[in-house]
Amino acid sequence: MRSIQSNLRTARHSLALACAILLLAGCGFASGRGSVDAGSRYLAQGKYRAAYIEAKKVLQRDAKNGDAWLLLGRASLKMGDPKDALGDFDKAKANGVPRERWVVPMGEALVATHQFDQALKTLSPDKGFAPQLAAQVDVLQGDAHFGLKQADQAKQAYEAALKLDPKDPRALVGLAKLAAVGHDMDSAQRYLDKALAAAPENPQAWVAKGDLAFADHDFAGAEAAYQKVLGFEHPDWLPQEHFYTLARLANAQAQQDKLDKALATIQTLEKMSPQQPYPHYLKAVVLYKQGHLGGAVTELQQVLQAAPDDVQAQLLMGVVQYGQGNYGQAEMYLSNVMGMDRGNTNARKLLALTYYREGRSHQALDTLRPAIPGNPSDTELLAILQKAAAARTGQPRSSASTGTATTTLPSGPFAKAGQALVSGNESEAIRLLQQIPKGDASTEARRTTLLVISYVRERRPDKAVEVAAAYVAKNPKDSAAHLLYGTALVTDNKHDEARKQYTEAYKLDPKNIAALMSLGSLDSLEGHYQDATGRYQTVLKQDPHNAVAMTSLARLAMR
């Protein structure tokens, strides 16, 4: 009897031990050899490091396992290493993995590394692809064409994807981005609405929604969109997309002067990728806004060390150096910007102001006359705006005879608004100006002039006209008020009304050379060159050394 009981206990012990071994094996104790199936499950769960480890284990014992190479490449891609992923996909291909399995992840890696031409070669059409796979390939082709700035080809690729899958969110996002680049914001919004209706948690759609709001200066809306997508538990995107969404969030926060929040976001970016220059640029923006110009310079130096040709960093460095009074340094950086981007209006204007501050008025005038194809009137208009602003905003202006700089940038309650305007942030300038309480006549004159200029530079001439009209109604005998109103009307293409205001300004003050110059500029705008010549000659009779009038006459003579 005892022998039977002893045997039963031994059997139960052996059974328990066997079960334990099986359980341990199921828990991974016996998985030291690695498993492609286990790695694929990890990948689907967003456990990319675990998937990577499983693939490595398999490859240690079987270096020709194509499935393991494919898994390794997909895990590397999801961990933010697309360059290594490309090598893994090549080995998967060489070891027998069929094209339909590696073509999409390889295409993603090529687009992520900006190898757009190679991506298009890899993503060549294949009639054997299932519709869903073919749609994915079409979208990646669209992304590659978009990267090459081939808008028509990108549109064709995205539309081809939608024929296969009418609700493909990435194709709709691609079309939205194309519409936004073409300044068709209504179409861009419609495409995004369709994308989000089809896939409410598509991260690319939410990022594009934030970008659209940012472009419309709706920085609060942009911030909300970025924060929403960053709150998704398992978004289907690459780490690079996550990084740049955080960067966009920091920028939106900075634009709203949520500077503490922006700095916290930037710190997260720095931890994610310490070598990336862009967080240093964003930090420089925040420090500049806080008035820490020295700190901004330090951050920008790090950006320019990594990316010497970064136009944004060069421009901000010019702004900061100008703010510190280092006009020689400001000139150097702003000239660099103009060399790389001749159409950069903000750099052109600040460079002209720098020349004014250095007493080089003729060079300033030349800089203020950008050669904009098809719109020769911008030269005269910019001179008008500069003159209209000079007397009241405290911007550097030339004296009637010598053209030397005689004033400084806005001070007191206007300092921050003037700083925002100089740095090209018109929306912030408008917000600050609207917050300034009503004061004496001088304060209202400066505030009104800065508001008009800010609205003009933000391309909202209707608002500029509205503000200037209200000011003229309160100050009907002020020659300068009529001059400013006329300038606002010119920007809104209301030339007849502008002419009345300039004429009234000159009638109220026959010594107001700016009014006479404005009438001459308006004559030039409308092709009345003989009348314009007469007005500029009248100006020179009153002021024989007026550089603006002489330059304008020279331009008329060339015509």
Side-chain angles (χ1 to χ4, degrees):
M1 187 71 175
R2 287 179 183 174
S3 177
I4 294 173
Q5 289 175 341
S6 176
N7 289 337
L8 285 173
R9 281 197 298 270
T10 302
R12 283 197 296 267
H13 179 73
S14 298
L15 182 61
L17 182 61
C19 289
I21 290 172
L22 288 172
L23 284 171
L24 286 170
C27 293
F29 180 79
S31 65
R33 291 164 56 82
S35 164
V36 172
D37 288 340
S40 297
R41 288 194 294 272
Y42 285 135
L43 197 68
Q45 296 167 3
K47 299 175 181 179
Y48 306 129
R49 173 61 62 182
Y52 181 92
I53 291 171
E54 288 294 314
K56 277 288 190 181
K57 287 178 180 177
V58 173
L59 290 168
Q60 282 174 356
R61 70 172 192 273
D62 182 5
K64 293 186 177 181
N65 189 315
D67 291 336
W69 281 116
L70 180 61
L71 174 63
L72 188 68
R74 292 176 65 196
S76 295
L77 184 61
K78 288 294 187 180
M79 290 192 301
D81 195 352
K83 289 183 180 179
D84 277 2
L86 285 170
D88 299 333
F89 295 139
D90 281 334
K91 289 178 181 176
K93 176 182 174 183
N95 285 285
V97 176
R99 183 167 184 256
E100 61 266 21
R101 292 182 60 200
W102 54 256
V103 65
V104 166
M106 183 178 278
E108 290 176 338
L110 288 167
V111 170
T113 53
H114 293 187
Q115 298 181 59
F116 302 122
D117 287 319
Q118 184 61 38
L120 290 172
K121 291 177 184 177
T122 301
L123 296 163
S124 57
D126 190 323
K127 293 181 180 179
F129 287 164
Q132 186 177 7
L133 177 60
Q136 288 178 283
V137 170
D138 285 333
V139 169
L140 285 169
Q141 285 180 323
D143 293 343
H145 283 302
F146 186 88
L148 292 169
K149 299 183 180 179
Q150 298 170 346
D152 291 340
Q153 294 95 319
K155 185 177 181 183
Q156 290 172 8
Y158 292 137
E159 289 176 343
L162 290 176
K163 286 179 182 177
L164 296 167
D165 182 0
K167 293 184 178 180
D168 189 305
R170 295 205 179 202
L172 290 165
V173 169
L175 288 171
K177 288 161 68 176
L178 282 172
V181 169
H183 304 292
D184 184 358
M185 299 306 180
D186 291 337
S187 294
Q189 190 61 60
R190 283 196 297 273
Y191 284 126
L192 285 181
D193 289 342
K194 287 182 181 179
L196 288 170
E201 292 199 356
N202 180 270
Q204 290 79 20
W206 278 104
V207 172
K209 185 179 179 70
D211 291 347
L212 207 61
F214 195 100
D216 197 35
H217 291 184
D218 177 12
F219 302 122
E223 181 185 12
Y226 299 143
Q227 284 182 326
K228 183 172 181 68
V229 68
L230 288 165
F232 291 159
E233 195 167 339
H234 295 297
D236 182 19
W237 61 5
L238 300 180
Q240 295 92 325
E241 295 174 276
H242 181 202
F243 179 88
Y244 285 112
T245 301
L246 271 172
R248 288 170 165 92
L249 174 62
N251 203 353
Q253 290 167 335
Q255 293 295 334
Q256 298 172 84
D257 281 340
K258 297 180 177 179
L259 304 183
D260 290 339
K261 285 187 175 181
L263 282 174
T265 306
I266 291 166
Q267 285 176 353
T268 302
L269 287 167
E270 289 174 333
K271 290 177 183 176
M272 287 177 65
S273 185
Q275 304 305 317
Q276 268 283 352
Y278 193 55
H280 291 290
Y281 170 78
L282 291 172
K283 194 169 185 179
V285 171
V286 173
L287 292 171
Y288 171 71
K289 282 175 166 284
Q290 291 175 328
H292 303 317
L293 303 187
V297 168
T298 301
E299 295 296 327
L300 289 169
Q301 285 171 339
Q302 294 189 60
V303 177
L304 293 172
Q305 186 175 358
D309 295 331
D310 189 295
V311 174
Q312 283 184 306
Q314 292 265 7
L315 177 56
L316 184 55
M317 183 68 97
V319 171
V320 174
Q321 295 289 353
Y322 183 93
Q324 290 182 313
N326 301 326
Y327 302 122
Q329 289 291 308
E331 179 187 340
M332 180 185 74
Y333 287 109
L334 295 169
S335 297
N336 289 344
V337 173
M338 293 301 297
M340 292 183 283
D341 181 9
R342 297 294 299 173
N344 194 311
T345 305
N346 290 328
R348 181 179 293 278
K349 291 178 181 178
L350 186 56
L351 182 58
L353 289 173
T354 303
Y355 289 142
Y356 266 112
R357 296 294 290 164
E358 293 178 312
R360 296 151 66 185
S361 58
H362 285 288
Q363 201 164 354
L365 286 169
D366 290 340
T367 304
L368 279 171
R369 286 170 169 73
I372 301 178
N375 194 5
S377 65
D378 280 5
T379 295
E380 287 83 7
L381 179 57
L382 194 52
I384 294 169
L385 286 171
Q386 192 68 13
K387 279 182 166 291
R392 286 179 176 152
T393 65
Q395 290 182 15
R397 59 184 174 90
S398 57
S399 66
S401 58
T402 64
T404 57
T406 59
T407 57
T408 58
L409 284 172
S411 57
F414 295 95
K416 288 186 177 180
Q419 191 179 55
L421 192 57
V422 166
S423 63
N425 191 346
E426 291 85 8
S427 297
E428 177 64 7
I430 291 168
R431 186 185 71 81
L432 291 168
L433 290 165
Q434 288 173 338
Q435 289 181 348
I436 295 175
K438 290 185 177 181
D440 57 20
S442 175
T443 297
E444 278 305 290
R446 295 182 73 192
R447 191 171 79 94
T448 301
T449 305
L450 275 171
L451 267 176
V452 169
I453 292 173
S454 298
Y455 280 126
V456 168
R457 287 178 56 175
E458 201 182 31
R459 297 182 182 178
R460 296 169 66 187
D462 55 329
K463 292 295 295 182
V465 168
E466 180 184 324
V467 171
Y471 186 69
V472 164
K474 293 178 182 178
N475 302 273
K477 299 299 182 182
D478 186 343
S479 173
H482 288 279
L483 176 62
L484 184 65
Y485 186 23
T487 299
L489 288 164
V490 170
T491 67
D492 203 22
N493 292 317
K494 296 177 179 177
H495 292 181
D496 291 341
E497 294 177 50
R499 187 176 294 279
K500 291 177 184 177
Q501 295 302 319
Y502 290 149
T503 302
E504 183 65 19
Y506 190 59
K507 188 187 299 182
L508 287 168
D509 181 8
K511 294 182 179 180
N512 189 332
I513 289 179
L516 196 56
M517 288 288 298
S518 299
L519 284 166
S521 295
L522 195 53
D523 288 332
S524 294
L525 277 171
E526 297 175 347
H528 307 312
Y529 302 130
Q530 194 168 357
D531 293 338
T533 299
R535 296 192 195 278
Y536 293 136
Q537 287 173 340
T538 303
V539 169
L540 289 174
K541 287 178 183 177
Q542 296 185 44
D543 179 10
H545 301 288
N546 190 293
V548 177
M550 286 189 284
T551 306
S552 298
L553 280 171
R555 286 171 57 84
L556 287 170
M558 288 176 66
R559 284 200 180 106

